[in-house]
Every structure is written in structure tokens, then in C-alpha cells.
Amino acid sequence: MWKKTKRYSFLYSRYFANHLKVMMEYKTDFFIGLFSVMVQQFTALFFLKIVFDHIDVLKGWTFYEILFIYAIAFLGRSIHHIFFDNLWTLGWQYVQTGNFDRILLRPVNPLFQVVAERVQQDGFGQLIIGGIVLSIASAQLDIQWSIGTILMLIVFILSSGIIFVAINLFFITFSFWMVDSLPIVVSVFQLSEFARYPLTIYPRAITLIITWVVPYGFTAYYPATYFFEGSAHMWFGVLTPIIAVASFMIAYWFWNRGIRAFTSTGS
């Protein structure tokens, strides 16, 4: 197990280094992509601020509490965006064109190869925005940081990223039967927008769906409430790492089942 981990860590470091070299060859494109994502995220925050210019609280939630939830969502999604964005292309770039046959011929885990073949530079902009928003919201909420709470925050952010990856992996795996399941993935991914806000503002049906069916609630809302004293869901956030591991295990099992069902489409 240790040798395999060491091998894949080395392989990914080489892939990642090569991707960075390519990015730096086109610095203008890199910074334009970075800036465009930052502007897009700032726009969402700007409209949120406009709403709170007219109200003090939203069903008991203040502007900076929601901003903190946004920050967790941004940071978790940035992990997915930077390192696992190539999953979106599985159907049309690998299955439909027959390129997945090439993946299967190599003595390396197929999922690793798909993931490692792309690093999305736009995700770095999301990471930067998430860090800025987290700092601003934390200062206004007067959260008392300690080594323990910082470690929990890191675990929650990593868990959030894993959940984003797991959900995407699960639904993109349908491409092995449908050739390209991107429309389904996009539709499901839209549900993640609900997780940027407190789940208590939604009808119970929506809350149940994004908590237990497609667990986007654990990508932002539940882990964020861990840091809010007196929150009804404060300790619910502790489940986030467990949900992340369980989600990924289910998604990876489904991925392996999809590979067994895969039939080449040719080129």
C-alpha cells in the first residue's frame, strides 16, 4: 500500500509540474482565467451584499455568517476545480472518442490517469477568493481560532472538496452506459448552489435532498455551522469527514462497475 501511494504521488507530482510549465508558457491566458473567475465570484458576493443592504438578517442569519458559508463552499469547490476538473470531460473526450481504450491499456489506475491529465488554472482564482472571504467573515464573526479549530477547518475544507469530487464522479460514471452523461452532471451540480446558503431557509424537501440524497449540504453549510456557537446544526458538521469518505467510496465503487460495463465506441 505504501509503495503504491509513493508511486502515485511521484507520478502526480510529475504530471502537475508539467501542467504548471504549460500554464507559465501562456501567462496571459493564466492570469485572464484567474481574474475572470475572481470577478465571477465577486459578482455573486456583490449581489448578496445588495440583498443585505435592505435587510438585517435572512431567517436569523447575518450577512457575515452567510459569507462564511460561501467561503467554505469556494474553498471546497476550488479543490475539485483545480485537481479533478477533467472528470467533466469523461464522456465526450474519452468514451465517445475511444480514448478511454488508451487509458485501460496502461498499467496505472484509470481514474488516476483521467484526473492527472488536467489541472484547471481557473480554480486558483476560486481558492484565492475563498481565502479572502474566509478572512473577512471570520474577523467580523469574532471566531476564536485555536490549533484545534484550524485543524477542523482544514479537515472540513478537504472533506468538502472530496464530496464535490464524489458527486461528480458518481454521475459522470453514467457515461459508460450513456456515452456522455454531462447533461446529468450539470443538472445535479446546480444543486450545489443551494449549499451556499443556510439550509434552514429552504423547504424541508430540498433540505433532505441536499443532505442525504446528493449531500451538497456537507460541502459548506454543515461544516460552517460548527464554528457558530448556538447553531442547531453545530455538531452536525462533525459528520462531514464521514460523509466525504462514504460518498467517495460509493462513487468509486460505481466507477469500477462502470469500467466493467464499458464497451469501446471506437475512434
Side-chain angles (χ1 to χ4, degrees):
M1 181 65 181
W2 166 247
K3 288 184 178 179
K4 185 178 289 187
T5 302
K6 187 177 180 180
R7 180 192 180 208
Y8 280 108
S9 297
F10 173 76
L11 286 174
Y12 190 81
S13 67
R14 299 306 296 264
Y15 270 106
F16 192 78
N18 288 332
H19 288 311
L20 288 182
K21 289 178 183 178
V22 173
M23 290 179 195
M24 292 301 101
E25 285 292 323
Y26 303 93
K27 293 184 177 66
T28 302
D29 290 344
F30 174 79
F31 287 110
I32 288 176
L34 195 74
F35 180 73
S36 64
V37 170
M38 293 177 69
V39 169
Q40 181 183 11
Q41 304 303 336
F42 267 126
T43 301
L45 296 173
F46 175 72
F47 282 108
L48 181 66
K49 183 65 171 66
I50 290 177
V51 171
F52 275 90
D53 282 341
H54 295 84
I55 61 174
D56 294 324
V57 295
L58 179 62
K59 283 199 171 182
W61 296 90
T62 67
F63 171 69
Y64 289 105
E65 286 174 335
I66 295 180
L67 205 63
F68 190 84
I69 297 173
Y70 258 75
I72 302 293
F74 285 160
L75 291 169
R77 189 179 292 188
S78 71
I79 294 173
H80 169 270
H81 202 176
I82 294 170
F83 301 105
F84 297 89
D85 198 66
N86 205 35
L87 288 175
W88 291 92
T89 71
L90 178 69
W92 60 269
Q93 185 167 301
Y94 291 91
V95 176
Q96 190 172 11
T97 62
N99 277 334
F100 199 75
D101 297 58
R102 167 179 59 86
I103 295 291
L104 293 176
L105 290 174
R106 294 175 177 174
V108 181
N109 184 285
L111 179 59
F112 172 84
Q113 293 180 70
V114 173
V115 169
E117 288 191 350
R118 183 180 185 184
V119 171
Q120 178 56 270
Q121 67 263 30
D122 295 355
F124 290 105
Q126 207 164 37
L127 183 65
I128 293 170
I129 291 297
I132 293 172
V133 173
L134 182 70
S135 300
I136 294 172
S138 299
Q140 293 296 325
L141 293 172
D142 196 29
I143 296 175
Q144 301 300 314
W145 294 107
S146 64
I147 294 177
T149 53
I150 291 173
L151 287 175
M152 286 301 293
L153 177 65
I154 293 172
V155 169
F156 287 153
I157 291 171
L158 292 175
S159 298
S160 172
I162 291 171
I163 293 171
F164 274 116
V165 173
I167 294 171
N168 198 7
L169 176 62
F170 183 89
F171 287 98
I172 204 67
T173 296
F174 281 103
S175 293
F176 290 124
W177 290 277
M178 301 172 56
V179 179
D180 190 1
S181 63
L182 185 60
I184 295 176
V185 179
V186 172
S187 298
V188 172
F189 196 74
Q190 296 302 316
L191 292 173
S192 67
E193 298 298 320
F194 288 104
R196 293 185 180 185
Y197 299 91
L199 299 193
T200 54
I201 70 174
Y202 302 123
R204 183 172 177 79
I206 292 178
T207 301
L208 289 174
I209 289 172
I210 60 177
T211 297
W212 302 117
V213 181
V214 186
Y216 280 126
F218 289 94
T219 63
Y221 172 70
Y222 290 122
T225 56
Y226 177 84
F227 301 95
F228 301 154
E229 291 187 11
S231 170
H233 294 130
M234 180 179 177
W235 295 107
F236 215 60
V238 179
L239 293 175
T240 301
I242 299 173
I243 297 298
V245 172
S247 297
F248 189 80
M249 289 177 65
I250 293 170
Y252 189 62
W253 169 83
F254 190 54
W255 163 269
N256 286 325
R257 182 158 184 171
I259 289 178
R260 290 195 296 270
F262 169 69
T263 301
S264 176
T265 58
S267 57

